[in-house]
Amino acid sequence: MAFEGLADRLQGTIQRIKGKGKVTEQDVKEMTREVRLALLEADVNFKVVKDFVKRIRERAIGQEVMESLTPGQQVIKVVRDELTELMGGEQSKIAVADRPPTVIMMVGLQGAGKTTTTGKLANLLRKKYNRNPMLVAADVYRPAAINQLETLGKQLNMPVFSLGTEANPVDIANQAIEKAKEDHQDYVIIDTAGRLHVDNDLMDELQQIKANVQPDEIFLVVDAMTGQDAVNVAESFNEQLEVSGVVLTKLDGDTRGGAALSIKAVTDKPIKFAGMGEKLDELEAFHPERMASRILGMGDVLSLIEKAQDTVDENKAKELEEKMRSATFTFDDFLEQMGQVRNMGPLEDIIGMLPGANKMKGLKNVQFDEKQLSHVEAIIQSMTKQERQDPSIMNASRKKRIAKGSGRNVSEVNRLLKQFEEMKKMMKQMSNMPKGKKGKGMKFPFM
Amino acid sequence: MSFFKKLKEKFSGDETKQETQSDKYKEGLSKTRSSFSGKINDLVARYRKVDEDFFEDLEEILISADVGVATVMDLIDELKMEVKRRNIKDSKEVKEVISEKLVDIYYGEEAEDVEQLNLNQNGLSVILFVGVNGVGKTTTIGKMAHQLKEEGKKVVMAAGDTFRAGAIEQLDVWGERVGVEVIKHNAGSDPAAVIFDGIQAARSRGADVLLCDTAGRLQNKVNLMNELSKVKKVISREIPEAPHEVLLVLDATTGQNAMSQAKTFSEATDVSGIVLTKLDGTAKGGIVLAIRNEMSIPVKYVGLGEKVTDLQAFDAHAFVYGLFADMMEEDTP
Ligand SMILES: Nc1nc2c(ncn2[C@@H]2O[C@H](COP(=O)(O)OP(=O)(O)OP(=O)(O)O)[C@@H](O)[C@H]2O)c(=O)[nH]1
Ligand SMILES: [Mg+2]
């Protein structure tokens, strides 16, 4: 895993404080320094980080942290609170025009994901709000951009308006609106060409489209992997077009996504949706509080639980939850669990969402790929029933036998046993959490 | 010899070709340069003394260029040591040390001709393009096809992105634009099969270079990365020393995630070089320094726009020259 999360970063300071039993201003300074580094590594713009850290320092130097028994956790809490506040509440509403059609304009840099997002948004409008969107191909510059949108239209079985590559994007937009009125399409989504925010001619073109069609929404589409430049891009697009919201794309990647914070801080416009995959139904409402955790490297627990809920068999999950609580979780359960986890998709995705996956010794160095999984499976399958139920009976000769049976070596067997213990410990901790905190369906046994 | 002198010598030499190239860089990177070295100049003007504040601001300048926290920290540490060792008090003097260190980071121990494309001089060369979604793979292929063709090479392109809507048509348009044949299958077909056919076609046409497009994919999707490894294996099975280059296309706008891209794509396909695109914007692409430093993958090309001619061979000296041109001119008496 590429970067340490904030919690990992604070470990050192926290250990030292534990020894002393008292928090000094120097400790706070060190902790805020780690906060700064964590945010920078997450691609939050350095100016935004500066302001943010200043606020944290003020709060942390107050009694809240210094007098706390658990200053480390307290700092994390302060940071998370502040961050969550900065990110704002959830706002995934889409405007509705008084007189249809409602017009949405998609804008952004090249390669941000506008065309795909146009398709996804149309899909969402129909599925969730029962609307009839029309897509408009106003990218006349990128080769085959029109073709791309038409293909999406075909997949969605939705009309796509195009005048080819020779027409002027402003005319295309104007005529599209007329056509939508005629055909009683209640939403019009205009896919514009990607452009640099410093390209005056092309930015001018967007302003003209805006002046002509008076859109109800202008969505700025931004790649979640964007670095420090995100502030320039967002500021510039917003200044020139007054965008109404932001869509963050490619969040299914492993980026921390600090750009989200930068964009919010400089534009104060809500991030409304998140692109979570290449398929047309992979557009989700943006969850600011999850993003805050993700930027801090605390794992996207809530998404993980939701994902688990979608895939894991209800009854079996309940059974497992019970076992977890009573700490009777065995290797048999583990095996079964692995099968279910596999159904959830690429393991990296899942592990990435686990909080503290970085910190857990057992998990840290394991490569979570399919090969590794089959090794684990082989090891467990070489255990006797008794061993699976009660790993505490494991001794050197048993381990040797298992290693031989599974074609792995003893150190691998040891590693798995250790991981299993870690996991059980973690489950126990989590199941001791008060019910309310765990959300309504804490069903994922890894928890 | 000082770094500036070395550069000056290089660029005031009588090789006009180099001059034009550095001019193009200067133009393309003018935004980068003015903001970056402008900032360093501001910094130097603001601080007469080399103290903590000075280093803190320098750190910010580098971080804002996406160089990456770890690399910046290393660099600053080294600078501090150097400043102490040479007993530098004046901020003007430190300027030179900064650029020296940046070039050091870029080149490390290696020879300075790592930017050359590794092409098979007699026979077919295969170049595989990989990268995350939307970074500019297809566009770069179009531009490179044009460039190679101008050099008198026979080029064929293979439409290995069978996934994204319109991807095949996009490459087709580029094929028409630059007059190069595109080998393609239907949308949704096996990319490895397309590339296989590409190789057969390139062979039978007696082509010099085959450029292989692939679908954009996020590096944490294990299945998709495996698919890419398979494509590479198919190429190597046909021609043992191929692919002659695996070029990872990186978007200069990308932040720290580019490092993870470089690592994971390298694991899957053994990346041999980087194409850094969209340098015509305001992003600085500083992460390539970190990638070079940690993984020693060289940048081979830069993308400076959407036109067919907007692809330039990367030359680190020109790159650094572009970054520091203002400072150098100041140095000249
Ligand atoms: N300004 C600028 N735009 C570029 C550059 N290179 C590519 N682009 C644009 O970036 C967008 C995406 O480029 P593509 O070539 O389609 O990217 P790709 O990596 O093939 O994308 P996928 O196949 O969808 O993964 C297009 O609009 C290109 O015109 C560059 O150097 N500068
Ligand atoms: Mg492409």
Side-chain angles (χ1 to χ4, degrees), chain B residues 16 47 91 113 175 189 212 242 285 297 333:
Chain B
T16 40
Y47 296 94
S91 59
D113 59 356
S189 56
C212 306
I297 304 175

Side-chain angles (χ1 to χ4, degrees), chain A residues 357-376:
Chain A
N358 237 352
K359 215 171 43 191
M360 285 173 57
K361 277 187 227 82
L363 286 176
K364 195 166 186 172
N365 298 318
V366 179
Q367 279 247 309
F368 285 93
D369 59 11
E370 290 298 321
K371 226 195 317 185
Q372 201 79 33
L373 262 197
S374 6
H375 294 170
V376 167

Side-chain angles (χ1 to χ4, degrees), chain B residues 19-291:
Chain B
E19 289 217 314
T20 4
Q21 175 142 85
S22 84
D23 279 350
K24 271 184 191 157
Y25 264 96
K26 276 178 80 172
E27 190 195 325
L29 297 170
S30 63
K31 282 180 214 93
T32 319
R33 187 191 65 228
S34 63
S35 54
F36 188 83
S37 58
K39 274 184 201 159
I40 289 194
N41 277 336
D42 281 355
L43 187 69
V44 168
R46 240 182 309 142
Y47 296 94
R48 300 241 323 285
K49 281 215 324 262
V50 182
D51 54 10
E52 269 306 306
D53 284 349
F54 174 86
F55 283 116
E56 222 165 82
D57 278 18
L58 179 64
E59 188 182 305
E60 265 176 12
I61 289 172
L62 292 169
I63 281 174
S64 74
D66 284 319
V67 172
V69 189
T71 312
V72 172
M73 295 298 173
D74 286 354
L75 185 74
I76 300 274
D77 283 348
E78 277 178 40
L79 271 178
K80 281 183 180 166
M81 257 160 52
E82 201 68 16
V83 163
K84 216 169 171 183
R85 200 173 62 77
R86 296 197 206 169
N87 198 19
I88 295 172
K89 297 254 159 52
D90 190 341
S91 59
K92 268 204 189 110
E93 283 171 62
V94 89
K95 219 162 57 172
E96 196 159 320
V97 187
I98 296 170
S99 4
E100 266 175 31
K101 285 285 170 217
L102 279 174
V103 170
D104 263 9
I105 281 190
Y106 191 80
Y107 279 113
E109 306 286 294
E110 282 199 55
E112 297 191 4
D113 59 356
V114 287
E115 294 91 6
Q116 296 283 320
L117 267 193
N118 167 32
L119 293 184
N120 178 3
Q121 289 314 321
N122 31 38
L124 178 63
S125 301
V126 181
I127 306 183
L128 180 65
F129 288 79
V130 301
V132 299
N133 313 75
V135 286
K137 291 175 293 300
T138 309
T139 309
T140 303
I141 289 176
K143 294 176 189 171
M144 197 176 285
H146 173 76
Q147 207 168 76
L148 291 167
K149 210 183 152 205
E150 293 279 285
E151 287 170 19
K153 298 206 162 68
K154 185 168 172 59
V155 183
V156 174
M157 311 196 274
D161 181 357
T162 57
F163 180 78
R164 205 207 66 199
I168 299 170
E169 291 81 357
Q170 186 184 356
L171 194 67
D172 242 350
V173 174
W174 275 105
E176 263 165 48
R177 201 179 269 183
V178 302
V180 161
E181 188 183 359
V182 177
I183 305 302
K184 61 195 173 197
H185 288 186
N186 289 332
S189 56
D190 176 14
V194 182
I195 303 295
F196 178 87
D197 274 8
I199 294 175
Q200 308 313 323
R203 270 178 173 153
S204 72
R205 318 270 196 285
D208 300 302
V209 186
L210 173 69
L211 303 175
C212 306
D213 196 9
T214 62
R217 64 201 77 213
L218 296 178
Q219 70 275 17
N220 60 339
K221 314 267 168 172
V222 179
N223 293 342
L224 295 180
M225 295 309 281
N226 288 343
E227 179 192 271
L228 208 54
S229 306
K230 189 181 146 203
V231 167
K232 192 189 164 209
K233 264 186 215 128
V234 165
I235 297 174
S236 308
R237 205 173 52 213
E238 286 309 295
I239 307 171
E241 62 275 18
H244 300 79
E245 291 277 1
V246 178
L247 297 180
L248 172 67
V249 183
L250 289 181
D251 183 331
T253 329
T254 307
Q256 300 307 294
N257 192 253
M259 179 65 79
S260 150
Q261 290 170 28
K263 284 188 177 146
T264 317
F265 275 98
S266 287
E267 277 162 27
T269 59
D270 217 345
V271 171
S272 59
I274 286 169
V275 181
L276 186 64
T277 62
K278 309 188 195 174
L279 266 181
D280 47 328
T282 50
K284 322 279 192 298
I287 189 71
V288 297
L289 280 179
I291 292 175

Side-chain angles (χ1 to χ4, degrees), chain A residues 70 96 159 171 400 404 424:
Chain A
T70 51
V96 186
D171 297 337
K400 231 167 157 177
K404 208 164 164 213
K424 265 175 95 167

Side-chain angles (χ1 to χ4, degrees), chain A residues 256-420:
Chain A
R256 278 283 164 77
L261 192 63
S262 306
I263 294 163
K264 187 74 199 346
V266 299
T267 65
D268 201 30
K269 295 292 156 59
I271 301 176
K272 294 196 166 185
F273 299 99
M276 299 297 293
E278 296 189 71
K279 290 197 220 77
L280 288 170
D281 57 357
E282 292 178 308
L283 185 74
E284 297 179 0
F286 179 76
H287 304 293
E289 76 294 348
R290 292 185 197 177
M291 197 65 216
S293 298
R294 178 173 174 153
I295 290 173
L296 295 175
M298 323 273 271
D300 192 355
V301 191
L302 291 167
S303 301
L304 179 60
I305 292 169
E306 259 175 24
K307 203 164 184 176
Q309 274 172 346
D310 287 350
T311 351
V312 173
D313 182 290
E314 282 278 332
N315 291 329
K316 277 188 183 154
K318 227 177 233 144
E319 217 174 278
L320 280 164
E321 197 184 354
E322 268 317 303
K323 285 185 169 162
M324 236 173 76
R325 278 181 191 289
S326 52
T328 53
F329 187 78
T330 68
F331 267 116
D332 277 322
D333 302 321
F334 187 46
L335 210 55
E336 189 181 307
Q337 189 49 32
M338 272 175 41
Q340 299 212 351
V341 167
R342 276 186 169 177
N343 294 334
M344 283 171 61
L347 264 177
E348 268 76 356
D349 289 11
I350 298 161
I351 300 301
M353 286 191 261
L354 269 173
N358 237 352
K359 215 171 43 191
M360 285 173 57
K361 277 187 227 82
L363 286 176
K364 195 166 186 172
N365 298 318
V366 179
Q367 279 247 309
F368 285 93
D369 59 11
E370 290 298 321
K371 226 195 317 185
Q372 201 79 33
L373 262 197
S374 6
H375 294 170
V376 167
E377 243 165 27
I379 294 174
I380 299 178
Q381 273 154 359
S382 298
M383 293 178 188
T384 64
K385 200 163 177 215
Q386 213 185 352
E387 285 162 349
R388 285 188 217 179
Q389 298 290 334
D390 180 14
S392 69
I393 62 170
M394 216 59 88
N395 57 24
S397 73
R398 283 178 191 267
K399 285 178 191 167
K400 231 167 157 177
R401 194 206 71 245
I402 293 168
K404 208 164 164 213
S406 59
R408 313 310 315 164
N409 55 43
V410 175
S411 67
E412 278 172 283
V413 176
N414 278 328
R415 187 152 17 110
L416 176 63
L417 288 168
K418 229 166 118 191
Q419 267 178 46
F420 185 71

